[in-house]
Amino acid sequence: MAFNKGFIFGTASASYQVEGAYNEDGKGLSIWDVFSRETGNVAHGETGDVACDHYHRYKEDVAILKKLGIKNYRFSISWTRIFPDGTGKVNPAGLKFYSDLVDELLVNGIEPYVTIFHWDYPYELYKKGGWLNDDSPEWFLEYAKVVVDALSDRVKNWFTINEPQCFIGLGFWTGAHAPFLKTSDRDLIIMTRNVMLAHGLTVKYIRENAKTTPKVGFAPIGPVFVPENDTPEAVEAAKEKTFKLTKLNMFSISWWSDPIILGKFPEEAYELFGDKMDIFSEEDFKTIAQPLDFYASNIYYNDFDQPVDPMGYEQGAYIGSPRTANGWPITPDVMYWAPKFLYERYGLPIIISENGMAALDWVALDGGVHDPNRIDYMERYLNALEKASDEVPVIGYFYWSILDNYEWSCGYDMRFGLVFVDYRTQERTIKDSGYWYSEYIKKKTNN
């Protein structure tokens, strides 16, 4: 059992979660800049105004990546650093920041992986209807063009969008993330169409205009069911549940991935939602289903059926089930089954674009940050992924995240990083898990 030669080991971050400098050098406001300030939306009323101050400390953070021997770094672009108003006038200072970051990565032997959109939607465009506005795919393309034109001479690896399930599902379906709304099914379907068109138009532009040969994908989440046992019947049942639509579920894999990869929705979509689906045309699907080089998936735990016992535990959970600090189940087997199911359905090489755990970390008396639970978590999940890589083409893994950072509506309570950040002083301390991952990479890449 071994990862394939050339396997991509990396870490990840996102602009709003780490950069700070929310109103510096011409940057405009995103919906997170605005709605995180409203009472009750975010734990402790915290914002990403400063976050990890990565905007000013990116050289220090790149030096940490180099020290740990992490040669692949996935980061996202802040749309409103490039277009303060979402469209129109470009902000040269914003472009320069990302160009300088790419240069700093490359000079230190680190490959950049750019995510064009990771949730921080421009507030000025939100006021014009945001993803409900049928001009929104063209707004996105205008932004993406500038980023690609500026960086594609040095950046080869692109993710168009991160977790549409979350920025639409949590933002407009459950109301748990910015802009903290609960909208109608019809509106959710309209937004789905516009997000998918934005993705397709952008992939097409990258293919036709990148200055170096690109590799392109997107990064949905993967709510995968794990079989109850290894029998063929149990495996088939879990796979069916993984992709089946039974209602308008913004977290569904097949809702988002079937049109983008296969060029059509599952048949159940038309049975369930009827004439609400009429907004999609054949021309739309031709735009949406652009060829991709990989299927990226953010995977943390497997999906569960609804509670099935009087104590309210989900099927597969039990009293005292292991969980992370933010309550997520620890289910490493999902890292074996998810790549298998996703590859069997979509036929693309698999990248795990996020995986990690929140823990209750602090700086110990000896000055270190000791997180054996995270090391155990990583080893279990990576063991399962390595097993999957023997059976399907798994080509990469990005740990979430390199730094402790702003965890959206949870504020700063949840620490996912390989590096501890003291938010009062911005001092960085590499955790034991960071050193462990460094040694793990050396061991696996020297085989």
Side-chain angles (χ1 to χ4, degrees):
M1 188 172 73
F3 290 112
N4 297 326
K5 186 177 181 181
F7 189 87
I8 302 158
F9 290 103
T11 57
S13 72
S15 51
Y16 188 74
Q17 293 180 267
V18 299
E19 286 179 3
Y22 85 102
N23 62 352
E24 293 186 37
D25 295 338
K27 179 184 172 296
L29 296 177
S30 75
I31 56 173
W32 277 96
D33 290 316
V34 173
F35 292 108
S36 63
R37 286 173 154 68
E38 293 191 356
T39 302
N41 284 343
V42 177
H44 317 296
E46 292 168 341
T47 72
D49 288 4
V50 178
C52 307
D53 199 29
H54 177 71
Y55 185 77
H56 298 114
R57 297 170 183 265
Y58 72 91
K59 290 188 178 182
E60 178 183 355
D61 295 333
V62 172
I64 290 171
L65 288 168
K66 183 177 182 180
K67 178 178 180 178
L68 294 177
I70 296 170
K71 297 184 181 298
N72 303 281
Y73 177 52
R74 179 182 172 225
F75 63 94
S76 76
I77 309 291
S78 167
W79 188 336
T80 56
R81 281 203 198 284
I82 310 304
F83 285 98
D85 296 322
T87 61
K89 187 177 179 182
V90 174
N91 177 29
L95 271 181
K96 183 178 185 302
F97 168 71
Y98 294 109
S99 181
D100 290 349
L101 173 58
V102 167
D103 286 344
E104 189 70 13
L105 290 167
L106 291 173
V107 79
N108 284 282
I110 300 165
E111 187 73 14
Y113 286 72
V114 168
T115 304
I116 295 174
F117 179 70
H118 195 135
W119 305 4
D120 42 355
Y121 196 83
Y123 180 61
E124 292 301 319
L125 296 185
Y126 169 78
K127 291 193 296 183
K128 296 178 180 179
W131 292 115
L132 275 174
N133 191 316
D134 284 343
D135 290 334
S136 58
E138 293 295 335
W139 296 339
F140 189 93
L141 179 61
E142 181 185 358
Y143 155 59
K145 283 180 176 179
V146 172
V147 173
V148 171
D149 290 350
L151 302 181
S152 65
D153 58 331
R154 290 155 290 159
V155 172
K156 303 170 188 172
N157 305 288
W158 301 90
F159 301 82
T160 54
I161 55 177
N162 184 80
E163 293 183 339
Q165 289 100 329
C166 290
F167 67 81
I168 298 297
L170 295 177
F172 297 91
W173 188 48
T174 69
H177 279 188
F180 302 94
L181 298 177
K182 297 181 181 181
T183 58
S184 69
D185 286 358
R186 180 71 176 181
D187 283 356
L188 292 169
I189 292 172
I190 291 170
M191 287 188 279
T192 295
R193 175 180 179 268
N194 288 331
V195 169
M196 288 181 177
L197 287 171
H199 159 84
L201 290 168
T202 298
V203 174
K204 188 172 187 293
Y205 185 82
I206 294 171
R207 292 263 183 245
E208 294 175 354
N209 297 277
K211 297 170 186 174
T212 55
T213 302
K215 293 184 177 179
V216 191
F218 78 125
I221 59 171
V224 168
F225 284 86
V226 165
E228 293 181 17
N229 54 58
D230 290 337
T231 64
E233 294 79 12
V235 172
E236 191 59 34
K239 183 162 57 172
E240 182 179 349
K241 282 193 285 188
T242 292
F243 297 109
K244 188 173 180 60
L245 274 178
T246 57
K247 60 181 179 178
L248 187 57
N249 179 354
M250 285 293 104
F251 296 101
S252 165
I253 293 176
S254 59
W255 175 260
W256 289 101
S257 294
D258 277 25
I260 286 175
I261 310 296
L262 305 179
K264 59 183 180 180
F265 280 99
E267 285 302 317
E268 307 98 272
Y270 297 93
E271 297 166 7
L272 290 165
F273 316 130
D275 59 9
K276 293 186 181 76
M277 299 296 294
D278 291 348
I279 63 170
F280 289 92
S281 69
E282 288 303 313
E283 285 302 310
D284 287 343
F285 289 117
K286 290 178 184 177
T287 299
I288 289 166
Q290 297 296 313
L292 299 181
D293 296 294
F294 55 83
Y295 185 102
S297 186
N298 299 345
I299 296 174
Y300 293 91
Y301 55 89
N302 60 259
D303 212 342
F304 292 99
D305 289 322
Q306 294 301 308
V308 294
D309 66 43
M311 296 181 72
Y313 291 106
E314 313 98 323
Q315 183 175 334
Y318 52 87
I319 186 169
S321 294
R323 295 180 184 270
T324 64
N326 59 340
W328 290 353
I330 298 173
T331 59
D333 284 352
V334 72
M335 202 62 101
Y336 169 74
W337 291 106
K340 284 173 61 69
F341 289 169
L342 293 169
Y343 180 72
E344 287 169 12
R345 189 172 183 92
Y346 300 120
L348 291 170
I350 304 297
I351 292 177
I352 304 305
S353 38
E354 287 184 22
N355 167 253
M357 68 164 286
L360 302 175
D361 302 321
W362 61 86
V363 178
L365 289 172
D366 64 5
V369 178
H370 308 304
D371 54 345
N373 49 351
R374 183 176 286 107
I375 293 170
D376 184 80
Y377 174 102
M378 294 176 73
E379 188 163 12
R380 288 173 186 267
Y381 275 74
L382 282 163
N383 284 346
L385 185 64
E386 191 170 21
K387 180 182 174 184
S389 73
D390 282 342
E391 302 177 33
V392 297
V394 181
I395 62 173
Y397 170 89
F398 288 83
Y399 178 81
W400 182 271
S401 59
I402 181 59
L403 301 172
D404 290 339
N405 57 46
Y406 182 81
E407 189 50 38
W408 307 110
S409 57
C410 294
Y412 294 97
D413 283 348
M414 304 303 167
R415 293 183 177 271
F416 278 84
L418 298 175
V419 177
F420 183 93
V421 178
D422 183 330
Y423 299 114
R424 300 165 300 174
T425 65
Q426 293 299 332
E427 183 178 357
R428 274 85 160 127
T429 304
I430 298 172
K431 302 177 187 178
D432 288 355
S433 59
Y435 291 113
W436 177 87
Y437 190 39
S438 177
E439 291 302 314
Y440 181 90
I441 292 170
K442 287 179 189 175
K443 180 174 69 174
K444 294 298 180 180
T445 55
N446 289 335
N447 286 343

